Amino acid sequence: MTRQMDNCRSKRQVLILDCCNSGAFAYGTKAATGASMGTSTAFAGNGYGRVVLTATDSTQFAYEGDQIIGSGTADSLFTHFLITGLEGEADSDGDSAVSVDELFDYASAQVRNLTPNQKPEKFVFNQQERLILTTKIKPQTVKPLAL
Protein backbone atom coordinates (compact mmCIF):
# COMPACT_ATOMS: atom_id res chain seq x y z
CA MET A 1 0.00 0.00 0.00
CA THR A 2 2.77 2.45 0.85
CA ARG A 3 4.39 1.90 -2.55
CA GLN A 4 1.15 2.73 -4.36
CA MET A 5 0.67 5.83 -2.24
CA ASP A 6 4.26 6.93 -2.88
CA ASN A 7 3.76 6.47 -6.63
CA CYS A 8 0.58 8.55 -6.62
CA ARG A 9 0.85 11.99 -8.21
CA SER A 10 -1.04 13.56 -5.32
CA LYS A 11 1.23 14.54 -2.46
CA ARG A 12 -1.67 15.07 -0.04
CA GLN A 13 -3.43 11.83 0.77
CA VAL A 14 -6.04 10.54 3.18
CA LEU A 15 -6.35 6.81 3.78
CA ILE A 16 -9.42 5.60 5.69
CA LEU A 17 -9.42 2.13 7.22
CA ASP A 18 -12.81 1.17 8.60
CA CYS A 19 -12.41 -2.37 9.85
CA CYS A 20 -11.73 -4.29 13.03
CA ASN A 21 -8.19 -3.88 14.37
CA SER A 22 -7.56 -1.12 11.80
CA GLY A 23 -5.05 0.60 14.08
CA ALA A 24 -2.72 -2.31 13.31
CA PHE A 25 -2.54 -1.44 9.62
CA ALA A 26 1.20 -1.83 9.06
CA TYR A 27 1.98 -4.66 6.65
CA GLY A 28 2.56 -7.95 8.38
CA THR A 29 1.30 -6.86 11.80
CA LYS A 30 -1.49 -8.24 13.92
CA ALA A 31 -3.37 -7.01 16.94
CA ALA A 32 -1.40 -7.13 20.17
CA THR A 33 -2.33 -5.27 23.32
CA GLY A 34 0.25 -2.67 24.26
CA ALA A 35 2.53 -3.44 21.31
CA SER A 36 3.76 -0.93 18.75
CA MET A 37 2.39 -1.66 15.31
CA GLY A 38 5.04 0.27 13.36
CA THR A 39 2.49 2.85 12.26
CA SER A 40 4.89 5.75 11.97
CA THR A 41 7.23 3.89 9.64
CA ALA A 42 4.63 1.98 7.62
CA PHE A 43 2.96 4.98 6.00
CA ALA A 44 5.33 7.90 6.53
CA GLY A 45 6.11 8.06 2.79
CA ASN A 46 6.76 11.26 0.93
CA GLY A 47 4.64 14.27 0.12
CA TYR A 48 3.19 17.15 2.08
CA GLY A 49 0.49 15.51 4.11
CA ARG A 50 -0.46 11.90 4.49
CA VAL A 51 -3.22 11.17 6.97
CA VAL A 52 -4.48 7.73 7.99
CA LEU A 53 -7.83 7.53 9.79
CA THR A 54 -8.67 4.23 11.44
CA ALA A 55 -12.00 3.14 12.89
CA THR A 56 -10.35 1.41 15.86
CA ASP A 57 -7.09 0.89 17.62
CA SER A 58 -5.11 -2.30 17.03
CA THR A 59 -7.17 -4.45 19.40
CA GLN A 60 -10.76 -3.28 18.91
CA PHE A 61 -13.78 -4.27 16.85
CA ALA A 62 -15.43 -1.82 14.42
CA TYR A 63 -19.14 -1.75 15.17
CA GLU A 64 -21.81 -2.00 12.51
CA GLY A 65 -24.33 0.78 12.24
CA ASP A 66 -27.50 -1.27 12.53
CA GLN A 67 -26.44 -2.57 15.96
CA ILE A 68 -25.91 0.87 17.48
CA ILE A 69 -27.59 3.58 15.39
CA GLY A 70 -30.58 1.67 14.05
CA SER A 71 -31.46 -0.14 10.88
CA GLY A 72 -31.62 3.05 8.80
CA THR A 73 -28.00 2.71 7.68
CA ALA A 74 -25.98 0.01 5.98
CA ASP A 75 -22.73 1.74 6.88
CA SER A 76 -20.49 0.98 9.79
CA LEU A 77 -20.59 3.39 12.68
CA PHE A 78 -17.33 5.13 11.71
CA THR A 79 -18.27 5.46 8.02
CA HIS A 80 -21.73 6.77 8.93
CA PHE A 81 -20.21 9.65 10.90
CA LEU A 82 -17.53 10.33 8.28
CA ILE A 83 -20.31 10.79 5.72
CA THR A 84 -22.46 13.03 7.93
CA GLY A 85 -19.33 14.99 8.81
CA LEU A 86 -18.50 15.54 5.13
CA GLU A 87 -22.08 16.70 4.58
CA GLY A 88 -21.30 19.63 6.86
CA GLU A 89 -21.83 18.41 10.42
CA ALA A 90 -18.07 18.43 11.07
CA ASP A 91 -17.64 22.11 10.16
CA SER A 92 -16.89 23.16 13.74
CA ASP A 93 -15.57 26.65 12.93
CA GLY A 94 -18.39 27.61 10.52
CA ASP A 95 -16.10 28.49 7.61
CA SER A 96 -18.04 26.28 5.13
CA ALA A 97 -15.07 23.94 4.80
CA VAL A 98 -14.44 20.57 6.44
CA SER A 99 -10.80 19.78 7.16
CA VAL A 100 -9.45 16.32 7.84
CA ASP A 101 -8.91 17.34 11.48
CA GLU A 102 -12.50 18.56 11.88
CA LEU A 103 -13.82 15.42 10.21
CA PHE A 104 -11.83 13.09 12.43
CA ASP A 105 -12.68 15.02 15.61
CA TYR A 106 -16.39 14.91 14.75
CA ALA A 107 -16.53 11.24 13.72
CA SER A 108 -14.37 10.12 16.64
CA ALA A 109 -16.48 11.99 19.19
CA GLN A 110 -19.72 10.59 17.75
CA VAL A 111 -18.39 7.02 17.74
CA ARG A 112 -17.06 7.31 21.29
CA ASN A 113 -20.39 8.76 22.50
CA LEU A 114 -22.25 5.71 21.18
CA THR A 115 -19.73 3.02 22.02
CA PRO A 116 -16.80 3.67 24.35
CA ASN A 117 -15.35 0.29 23.29
CA GLN A 118 -14.31 1.70 19.92
CA LYS A 119 -11.58 4.33 19.71
CA PRO A 120 -10.86 5.75 16.25
CA GLU A 121 -7.30 6.92 15.67
CA LYS A 122 -5.57 9.42 13.40
CA PHE A 123 -1.98 9.17 12.17
CA VAL A 124 -0.47 12.24 10.48
CA PHE A 125 2.73 12.28 8.44
CA ASN A 126 4.45 15.41 7.08
CA GLN A 127 1.32 17.58 7.22
CA GLN A 128 2.37 21.15 6.53
CA GLU A 129 -0.95 22.92 6.24
CA ARG A 130 -4.67 22.47 6.83
CA LEU A 131 -6.02 19.72 4.59
CA ILE A 132 -9.51 20.64 3.33
CA LEU A 133 -11.67 17.70 2.26
CA THR A 134 -14.83 19.50 1.16
CA THR A 135 -16.43 22.91 1.05
CA LYS A 136 -20.05 23.88 1.16
CA ILE A 137 -21.35 26.56 -1.18
CA LYS A 138 -23.50 28.98 0.73
CA PRO A 139 -26.67 29.94 -1.14
CA GLN A 140 -26.66 33.58 -2.13
CA THR A 141 -29.59 35.85 -2.70
CA VAL A 142 -29.35 37.32 -6.16
CA LYS A 143 -31.05 40.66 -6.67
CA PRO A 144 -32.10 41.41 -10.25
CA LEU A 145 -30.70 44.57 -11.78
CA ALA A 146 -33.04 47.23 -13.10
CA LEU A 147 -33.15 47.44 -16.89
Side-chain angles (χ1 to χ4, degrees), residues 115-144:
T115 176
N117 296 328
Q118 182 176 341
K119 180 185 172 217
E121 294 186 333
K122 175 177 64 173
F123 303 90
V124 180
F125 309 99
N126 302 322
Q127 185 175 353
Q128 296 179 357
E129 58 192 44
R130 187 173 180 224
L131 183 57
I132 303 296
L133 298 175
T134 187
T135 58
K136 297 183 298 184
I137 299 173
K138 292 182 180 179
Q140 298 179 356
T141 304
V142 178
K143 296 180 182 179

PDB file of all heavy atoms in Angstrom, residues 115-144:
ATOM      1  N   THR A 115     -20.367   4.251  21.559  1.00  0.00           N
ATOM      2  CA  THR A 115     -19.732   3.015  22.020  1.00  0.00           C
ATOM      3  C   THR A 115     -18.316   3.300  22.510  1.00  0.00           C
ATOM      4  O   THR A 115     -17.391   3.457  21.716  1.00  0.00           O
ATOM      5  CB  THR A 115     -19.718   1.923  20.933  1.00  0.00           C
ATOM      6  OG1 THR A 115     -18.993   0.800  21.434  1.00  0.00           O
ATOM      7  CG2 THR A 115     -19.118   2.383  19.641  1.00  0.00           C
ATOM      8  N   PRO A 116     -18.136   3.383  23.807  1.00  0.00           N
ATOM      9  CA  PRO A 116     -16.805   3.667  24.352  1.00  0.00           C
ATOM     10  C   PRO A 116     -15.798   2.544  24.107  1.00  0.00           C
ATOM     11  O   PRO A 116     -14.619   2.709  24.362  1.00  0.00           O
ATOM     12  CB  PRO A 116     -17.061   3.869  25.848  1.00  0.00           C
ATOM     13  CG  PRO A 116     -18.414   3.342  26.119  1.00  0.00           C
ATOM     14  CD  PRO A 116     -19.161   3.281  24.834  1.00  0.00           C
ATOM     15  N   ASN A 117     -16.261   1.409  23.584  1.00  0.00           N
ATOM     16  CA  ASN A 117     -15.354   0.290  23.295  1.00  0.00           C
ATOM     17  C   ASN A 117     -14.674   0.413  21.946  1.00  0.00           C
ATOM     18  O   ASN A 117     -13.944  -0.482  21.548  1.00  0.00           O
ATOM     19  CB  ASN A 117     -16.122  -1.027  23.361  1.00  0.00           C
ATOM     20  CG  ASN A 117     -16.651  -1.305  24.745  1.00  0.00           C
ATOM     21  OD1 ASN A 117     -16.040  -0.921  25.739  1.00  0.00           O
ATOM     22  ND2 ASN A 117     -17.794  -1.951  24.823  1.00  0.00           N
ATOM     23  N   GLN A 118     -14.940   1.484  21.226  1.00  0.00           N
ATOM     24  CA  GLN A 118     -14.308   1.702  19.922  1.00  0.00           C
ATOM     25  C   GLN A 118     -13.647   3.072  19.933  1.00  0.00           C
ATOM     26  O   GLN A 118     -14.293   4.079  20.171  1.00  0.00           O
ATOM     27  CB  GLN A 118     -15.345   1.625  18.796  1.00  0.00           C
ATOM     28  CG  GLN A 118     -14.734   1.791  17.425  1.00  0.00           C
ATOM     29  CD  GLN A 118     -15.761   1.612  16.316  1.00  0.00           C
ATOM     30  OE1 GLN A 118     -16.827   1.044  16.522  1.00  0.00           O
ATOM     31  NE2 GLN A 118     -15.436   2.081  15.134  1.00  0.00           N
ATOM     32  N   LYS A 119     -12.341   3.083  19.664  1.00  0.00           N
ATOM     33  CA  LYS A 119     -11.577   4.328  19.714  1.00  0.00           C
ATOM     34  C   LYS A 119     -10.901   4.578  18.361  1.00  0.00           C
ATOM     35  O   LYS A 119      -9.848   4.022  18.081  1.00  0.00           O
ATOM     36  CB  LYS A 119     -10.515   4.253  20.811  1.00  0.00           C
ATOM     37  CG  LYS A 119      -9.693   5.501  20.921  1.00  0.00           C
ATOM     38  CD  LYS A 119      -8.567   5.338  21.928  1.00  0.00           C
ATOM     39  CE  LYS A 119      -7.672   6.550  21.844  1.00  0.00           C
ATOM     40  NZ  LYS A 119      -6.280   6.234  22.013  1.00  0.00           N
ATOM     41  N   PRO A 120     -11.514   5.410  17.507  1.00  0.00           N
ATOM     42  CA  PRO A 120     -10.858   5.750  16.246  1.00  0.00           C
ATOM     43  C   PRO A 120      -9.521   6.451  16.490  1.00  0.00           C
ATOM     44  O   PRO A 120      -9.331   7.111  17.516  1.00  0.00           O
ATOM     45  CB  PRO A 120     -11.858   6.701  15.577  1.00  0.00           C
ATOM     46  CG  PRO A 120     -13.171   6.343  16.196  1.00  0.00           C
ATOM     47  CD  PRO A 120     -12.849   5.981  17.608  1.00  0.00           C
ATOM     48  N   GLU A 121      -8.610   6.297  15.544  1.00  0.00           N
ATOM     49  CA  GLU A 121      -7.296   6.915  15.672  1.00  0.00           C
ATOM     50  C   GLU A 121      -6.928   7.640  14.387  1.00  0.00           C
ATOM     51  O   GLU A 121      -7.410   7.313  13.308  1.00  0.00           O
ATOM     52  CB  GLU A 121      -6.241   5.854  15.988  1.00  0.00           C
ATOM     53  CG  GLU A 121      -6.443   5.213  17.349  1.00  0.00           C
ATOM     54  CD  GLU A 121      -5.311   4.273  17.730  1.00  0.00           C
ATOM     55  OE1 GLU A 121      -4.652   3.707  16.836  1.00  0.00           O
ATOM     56  OE2 GLU A 121      -5.096   4.103  18.943  1.00  0.00           O
ATOM     57  N   LYS A 122      -6.050   8.641  14.543  1.00  0.00           N
ATOM     58  CA  LYS A 122      -5.567   9.421  13.404  1.00  0.00           C
ATOM     59  C   LYS A 122      -4.046   9.429  13.448  1.00  0.00           C
ATOM     60  O   LYS A 122      -3.445   9.687  14.490  1.00  0.00           O
ATOM     61  CB  LYS A 122      -6.108  10.852  13.475  1.00  0.00           C
ATOM     62  CG  LYS A 122      -5.570  11.774  12.394  1.00  0.00           C
ATOM     63  CD  LYS A 122      -6.191  13.157  12.449  1.00  0.00           C
ATOM     64  CE  LYS A 122      -5.833  13.859  13.718  1.00  0.00           C
ATOM     65  NZ  LYS A 122      -6.264  15.267  13.753  1.00  0.00           N
ATOM     66  N   PHE A 123      -3.428   9.144  12.303  1.00  0.00           N
ATOM     67  CA  PHE A 123      -1.977   9.173  12.168  1.00  0.00           C
ATOM     68  C   PHE A 123      -1.641  10.192  11.083  1.00  0.00           C
ATOM     69  O   PHE A 123      -2.177  10.122   9.978  1.00  0.00           O
ATOM     70  CB  PHE A 123      -1.443   7.791  11.776  1.00  0.00           C
ATOM     71  CG  PHE A 123      -1.841   6.712  12.758  1.00  0.00           C
ATOM     72  CD1 PHE A 123      -3.012   6.001  12.583  1.00  0.00           C
ATOM     73  CD2 PHE A 123      -1.047   6.424  13.854  1.00  0.00           C
ATOM     74  CE1 PHE A 123      -3.396   5.015  13.484  1.00  0.00           C
ATOM     75  CE2 PHE A 123      -1.416   5.439  14.757  1.00  0.00           C
ATOM     76  CZ  PHE A 123      -2.592   4.733  14.571  1.00  0.00           C
ATOM     77  N   VAL A 124      -0.779  11.153  11.405  1.00  0.00           N
ATOM     78  CA  VAL A 124      -0.467  12.240  10.484  1.00  0.00           C
ATOM     79  C   VAL A 124       1.024  12.217  10.169  1.00  0.00           C
ATOM     80  O   VAL A 124       1.849  12.120  11.072  1.00  0.00           O
ATOM     81  CB  VAL A 124      -0.852  13.607  11.098  1.00  0.00           C
ATOM     82  CG1 VAL A 124      -0.525  14.743  10.158  1.00  0.00           C
ATOM     83  CG2 VAL A 124      -2.325  13.623  11.478  1.00  0.00           C
ATOM     84  N   PHE A 125       1.340  12.312   8.884  1.00  0.00           N
ATOM     85  CA  PHE A 125       2.732  12.281   8.439  1.00  0.00           C
ATOM     86  C   PHE A 125       3.014  13.476   7.534  1.00  0.00           C
ATOM     87  O   PHE A 125       2.347  13.664   6.520  1.00  0.00           O
ATOM     88  CB  PHE A 125       3.018  10.986   7.675  1.00  0.00           C
ATOM     89  CG  PHE A 125       2.582   9.751   8.425  1.00  0.00           C
ATOM     90  CD1 PHE A 125       1.378   9.137   8.129  1.00  0.00           C
ATOM     91  CD2 PHE A 125       3.353   9.219   9.444  1.00  0.00           C
ATOM     92  CE1 PHE A 125       0.960   8.012   8.815  1.00  0.00           C
ATOM     93  CE2 PHE A 125       2.940   8.095  10.144  1.00  0.00           C
ATOM     94  CZ  PHE A 125       1.749   7.492   9.825  1.00  0.00           C
ATOM     95  N   ASN A 126       3.969  14.294   7.893  1.00  0.00           N
ATOM     96  CA  ASN A 126       4.452  15.413   7.079  1.00  0.00           C
ATOM     97  C   ASN A 126       3.384  16.435   6.715  1.00  0.00           C
ATOM     98  O   ASN A 126       3.496  17.099   5.688  1.00  0.00           O
ATOM     99  CB  ASN A 126       5.100  14.902   5.777  1.00  0.00           C
ATOM    100  CG  ASN A 126       6.244  13.964   6.038  1.00  0.00           C
ATOM    101  OD1 ASN A 126       7.014  14.168   6.969  1.00  0.00           O
ATOM    102  ND2 ASN A 126       6.351  12.923   5.243  1.00  0.00           N
ATOM    103  N   GLN A 127       2.358  16.595   7.535  1.00  0.00           N
ATOM    104  CA  GLN A 127       1.323  17.582   7.217  1.00  0.00           C
ATOM    105  C   GLN A 127       1.884  18.966   7.449  1.00  0.00           C
ATOM    106  O   GLN A 127       2.388  19.273   8.516  1.00  0.00           O
ATOM    107  CB  GLN A 127       0.077  17.357   8.063  1.00  0.00           C
ATOM    108  CG  GLN A 127      -1.069  18.278   7.670  1.00  0.00           C
ATOM    109  CD  GLN A 127      -2.350  17.965   8.438  1.00  0.00           C
ATOM    110  OE1 GLN A 127      -2.418  16.985   9.175  1.00  0.00           O
ATOM    111  NE2 GLN A 127      -3.341  18.792   8.277  1.00  0.00           N
ATOM    112  N   GLN A 128       1.803  19.821   6.432  1.00  0.00           N
ATOM    113  CA  GLN A 128       2.367  21.153   6.528  1.00  0.00           C
ATOM    114  C   GLN A 128       1.318  22.245   6.588  1.00  0.00           C
ATOM    115  O   GLN A 128       1.617  23.368   6.930  1.00  0.00           O
ATOM    116  CB  GLN A 128       3.302  21.411   5.350  1.00  0.00           C
ATOM    117  CG  GLN A 128       4.496  20.484   5.350  1.00  0.00           C
ATOM    118  CD  GLN A 128       5.409  20.733   4.180  1.00  0.00           C
ATOM    119  OE1 GLN A 128       5.137  21.556   3.314  1.00  0.00           O
ATOM    120  NE2 GLN A 128       6.517  20.003   4.128  1.00  0.00           N
ATOM    121  N   GLU A 129       0.105  21.928   6.211  1.00  0.00           N
ATOM    122  CA  GLU A 129      -0.955  22.918   6.235  1.00  0.00           C
ATOM    123  C   GLU A 129      -2.286  22.223   6.437  1.00  0.00           C
ATOM    124  O   GLU A 129      -2.367  21.001   6.412  1.00  0.00           O
ATOM    125  CB  GLU A 129      -0.964  23.728   4.935  1.00  0.00           C
ATOM    126  CG  GLU A 129      -1.129  22.872   3.702  1.00  0.00           C
ATOM    127  CD  GLU A 129      -0.850  23.631   2.414  1.00  0.00           C
ATOM    128  OE1 GLU A 129       0.131  24.371   2.352  1.00  0.00           O
ATOM    129  OE2 GLU A 129      -1.655  23.468   1.493  1.00  0.00           O
ATOM    130  N   ARG A 130      -3.318  23.007   6.624  1.00  0.00           N
ATOM    131  CA  ARG A 130      -4.666  22.475   6.827  1.00  0.00           C
ATOM    132  C   ARG A 130      -5.108  21.755   5.564  1.00  0.00           C
ATOM    133  O   ARG A 130      -5.014  22.289   4.465  1.00  0.00           O
ATOM    134  CB  ARG A 130      -5.599  23.637   7.139  1.00  0.00           C
ATOM    135  CG  ARG A 130      -6.978  23.238   7.534  1.00  0.00           C
ATOM    136  CD  ARG A 130      -7.757  24.465   7.985  1.00  0.00           C
ATOM    137  NE  ARG A 130      -9.097  24.090   8.371  1.00  0.00           N
ATOM    138  CZ  ARG A 130     -10.175  24.766   8.025  1.00  0.00           C
ATOM    139  NH1 ARG A 130     -10.073  25.855   7.308  1.00  0.00           N
ATOM    140  NH2 ARG A 130     -11.353  24.360   8.420  1.00  0.00           N
ATOM    141  N   LEU A 131      -5.595  20.533   5.727  1.00  0.00           N
ATOM    142  CA  LEU A 131      -6.022  19.721   4.594  1.00  0.00           C
ATOM    143  C   LEU A 131      -7.543  19.753   4.510  1.00  0.00           C
ATOM    144  O   LEU A 131      -8.233  19.169   5.338  1.00  0.00           O
ATOM    145  CB  LEU A 131      -5.513  18.286   4.767  1.00  0.00           C
ATOM    146  CG  LEU A 131      -5.790  17.286   3.671  1.00  0.00           C
ATOM    147  CD1 LEU A 131      -5.243  17.752   2.328  1.00  0.00           C
ATOM    148  CD2 LEU A 131      -5.190  15.942   4.030  1.00  0.00           C
ATOM    149  N   ILE A 132      -8.068  20.482   3.522  1.00  0.00           N
ATOM    150  CA  ILE A 132      -9.507  20.644   3.334  1.00  0.00           C
ATOM    151  C   ILE A 132     -10.024  19.486   2.491  1.00  0.00           C
ATOM    152  O   ILE A 132      -9.502  19.194   1.419  1.00  0.00           O
ATOM    153  CB  ILE A 132      -9.841  21.974   2.627  1.00  0.00           C
ATOM    154  CG1 ILE A 132      -9.275  23.156   3.398  1.00  0.00           C
ATOM    155  CG2 ILE A 132     -11.346  22.116   2.405  1.00  0.00           C
ATOM    156  CD1 ILE A 132      -9.856  23.352   4.763  1.00  0.00           C
ATOM    157  N   LEU A 133     -11.083  18.832   2.984  1.00  0.00           N
ATOM    158  CA  LEU A 133     -11.675  17.701   2.265  1.00  0.00           C
ATOM    159  C   LEU A 133     -12.871  18.112   1.418  1.00  0.00           C
ATOM    160  O   LEU A 133     -13.107  17.556   0.354  1.00  0.00           O
ATOM    161  CB  LEU A 133     -12.088  16.607   3.253  1.00  0.00           C
ATOM    162  CG  LEU A 133     -10.957  16.006   4.066  1.00  0.00           C
ATOM    163  CD1 LEU A 133     -11.508  15.026   5.081  1.00  0.00           C
ATOM    164  CD2 LEU A 133      -9.947  15.325   3.153  1.00  0.00           C
ATOM    165  N   THR A 134     -13.649  19.055   1.902  1.00  0.00           N
ATOM    166  CA  THR A 134     -14.825  19.500   1.159  1.00  0.00           C
ATOM    167  C   THR A 134     -15.202  20.909   1.593  1.00  0.00           C
ATOM    168  O   THR A 134     -14.849  21.344   2.685  1.00  0.00           O
ATOM    169  CB  THR A 134     -16.024  18.545   1.369  1.00  0.00           C
ATOM    170  OG1 THR A 134     -17.094  18.917   0.507  1.00  0.00           O
ATOM    171  CG2 THR A 134     -16.510  18.548   2.797  1.00  0.00           C
ATOM    172  N   THR A 135     -15.899  21.590   0.721  1.00  0.00           N
ATOM    173  CA  THR A 135     -16.435  22.908   1.046  1.00  0.00           C
ATOM    174  C   THR A 135     -17.913  22.917   0.706  1.00  0.00           C
ATOM    175  O   THR A 135     -18.374  22.197  -0.180  1.00  0.00           O
ATOM    176  CB  THR A 135     -15.732  24.028   0.253  1.00  0.00           C
ATOM    177  OG1 THR A 135     -15.871  23.769  -1.137  1.00  0.00           O
ATOM    178  CG2 THR A 135     -14.267  24.117   0.615  1.00  0.00           C
ATOM    179  N   LYS A 136     -18.635  23.710   1.430  1.00  0.00           N
ATOM    180  CA  LYS A 136     -20.054  23.884   1.158  1.00  0.00           C
ATOM    181  C   LYS A 136     -20.232  25.239   0.485  1.00  0.00           C
ATOM    182  O   LYS A 136     -19.649  26.230   0.905  1.00  0.00           O
ATOM    183  CB  LYS A 136     -20.875  23.865   2.447  1.00  0.00           C
ATOM    184  CG  LYS A 136     -20.812  22.569   3.210  1.00  0.00           C
ATOM    185  CD  LYS A 136     -21.707  22.626   4.431  1.00  0.00           C
ATOM    186  CE  LYS A 136     -21.241  23.724   5.370  1.00  0.00           C
ATOM    187  NZ  LYS A 136     -21.960  23.810   6.619  1.00  0.00           N
ATOM    188  N   ILE A 137     -21.050  25.291  -0.532  1.00  0.00           N
ATOM    189  CA  ILE A 137     -21.346  26.563  -1.182  1.00  0.00           C
ATOM    190  C   ILE A 137     -22.563  27.148  -0.496  1.00  0.00           C
ATOM    191  O   ILE A 137     -23.626  26.528  -0.442  1.00  0.00           O
ATOM    192  CB  ILE A 137     -21.603  26.369  -2.687  1.00  0.00           C
ATOM    193  CG1 ILE A 137     -20.354  25.795  -3.341  1.00  0.00           C
ATOM    194  CG2 ILE A 137     -22.034  27.669  -3.333  1.00  0.00           C
ATOM    195  CD1 ILE A 137     -20.542  25.405  -4.777  1.00  0.00           C
ATOM    196  N   LYS A 138     -22.392  28.332   0.057  1.00  0.00           N
ATOM    197  CA  LYS A 138     -23.504  28.983   0.727  1.00  0.00           C
ATOM    198  C   LYS A 138     -24.443  29.576  -0.328  1.00  0.00           C
ATOM    199  O   LYS A 138     -23.999  30.242  -1.258  1.00  0.00           O
ATOM    200  CB  LYS A 138     -23.000  30.094   1.634  1.00  0.00           C
ATOM    201  CG  LYS A 138     -22.229  29.601   2.824  1.00  0.00           C
ATOM    202  CD  LYS A 138     -21.815  30.754   3.701  1.00  0.00           C
ATOM    203  CE  LYS A 138     -21.037  30.261   4.893  1.00  0.00           C
ATOM    204  NZ  LYS A 138     -20.603  31.351   5.760  1.00  0.00           N
ATOM    205  N   PRO A 139     -25.743  29.328  -0.186  1.00  0.00           N
ATOM    206  CA  PRO A 139     -26.672  29.938  -1.141  1.00  0.00           C
ATOM    207  C   PRO A 139     -26.649  31.459  -1.004  1.00  0.00           C
ATOM    208  O   PRO A 139     -26.559  31.977   0.102  1.00  0.00           O
ATOM    209  CB  PRO A 139     -28.030  29.362  -0.733  1.00  0.00           C
ATOM    210  CG  PRO A 139     -27.833  28.619   0.529  1.00  0.00           C
ATOM    211  CD  PRO A 139     -26.377  28.512   0.808  1.00  0.00           C
ATOM    212  N   GLN A 140     -26.681  32.124  -2.120  1.00  0.00           N
ATOM    213  CA  GLN A 140     -26.664  33.580  -2.130  1.00  0.00           C
ATOM    214  C   GLN A 140     -27.963  34.101  -2.712  1.00  0.00           C
ATOM    215  O   GLN A 140     -28.509  33.518  -3.644  1.00  0.00           O
ATOM    216  CB  GLN A 140     -25.490  34.094  -2.957  1.00  0.00           C
ATOM    217  CG  GLN A 140     -24.142  33.691  -2.407  1.00  0.00           C
ATOM    218  CD  GLN A 140     -23.008  34.191  -3.277  1.00  0.00           C
ATOM    219  OE1 GLN A 140     -23.227  34.774  -4.331  1.00  0.00           O
ATOM    220  NE2 GLN A 140     -21.793  33.974  -2.834  1.00  0.00           N
ATOM    221  N   THR A 141     -28.413  35.196  -2.166  1.00  0.00           N
ATOM    222  CA  THR A 141     -29.594  35.846  -2.703  1.00  0.00           C
ATOM    223  C   THR A 141     -29.148  36.750  -3.843  1.00  0.00           C
ATOM    224  O   THR A 141     -28.287  37.612  -3.667  1.00  0.00           O
ATOM    225  CB  THR A 141     -30.298  36.676  -1.619  1.00  0.00           C
ATOM    226  OG1 THR A 141     -30.596  35.817  -0.521  1.00  0.00           O
ATOM    227  CG2 THR A 141     -31.557  37.312  -2.148  1.00  0.00           C
ATOM    228  N   VAL A 142     -29.710  36.527  -4.996  1.00  0.00           N
ATOM    229  CA  VAL A 142     -29.352  37.324  -6.164  1.00  0.00           C
ATOM    230  C   VAL A 142     -30.471  38.343  -6.403  1.00  0.00           C
ATOM    231  O   VAL A 142     -31.641  37.966  -6.562  1.00  0.00           O
ATOM    232  CB  VAL A 142     -29.166  36.431  -7.414  1.00  0.00           C
ATOM    233  CG1 VAL A 142     -28.844  37.270  -8.631  1.00  0.00           C
ATOM    234  CG2 VAL A 142     -28.087  35.407  -7.148  1.00  0.00           C
ATOM    235  N   LYS A 143     -30.088  39.615  -6.426  1.00  0.00           N
ATOM    236  CA  LYS A 143     -31.053  40.661  -6.674  1.00  0.00           C
ATOM    237  C   LYS A 143     -30.981  41.051  -8.149  1.00  0.00           C
ATOM    238  O   LYS A 143     -29.912  41.339  -8.669  1.00  0.00           O
ATOM    239  CB  LYS A 143     -30.763  41.893  -5.805  1.00  0.00           C
ATOM    240  CG  LYS A 143     -30.903  41.614  -4.336  1.00  0.00           C
ATOM    241  CD  LYS A 143     -30.611  42.847  -3.521  1.00  0.00           C
ATOM    242  CE  LYS A 143     -30.705  42.532  -2.041  1.00  0.00           C
ATOM    243  NZ  LYS A 143     -30.407  43.701  -1.218  1.00  0.00           N
ATOM    244  N   PRO A 144     -32.123  41.035  -8.826  1.00  0.00           N
ATOM    245  CA  PRO A 144     -32.100  41.407 -10.250  1.00  0.00           C
ATOM    246  C   PRO A 144     -31.774  42.900 -10.418  1.00  0.00           C
ATOM    247  O   PRO A 144     -32.146  43.725  -9.592  1.00  0.00           O
ATOM    248  CB  PRO A 144     -33.517  41.090 -10.720  1.00  0.00           C
ATOM    249  CG  PRO A 144     -34.348  40.977  -9.493  1.00  0.00           C
ATOM    250  CD  PRO A 144     -33.428  40.669  -8.358  1.00  0.00           C
TER     251      PRO A 144
END
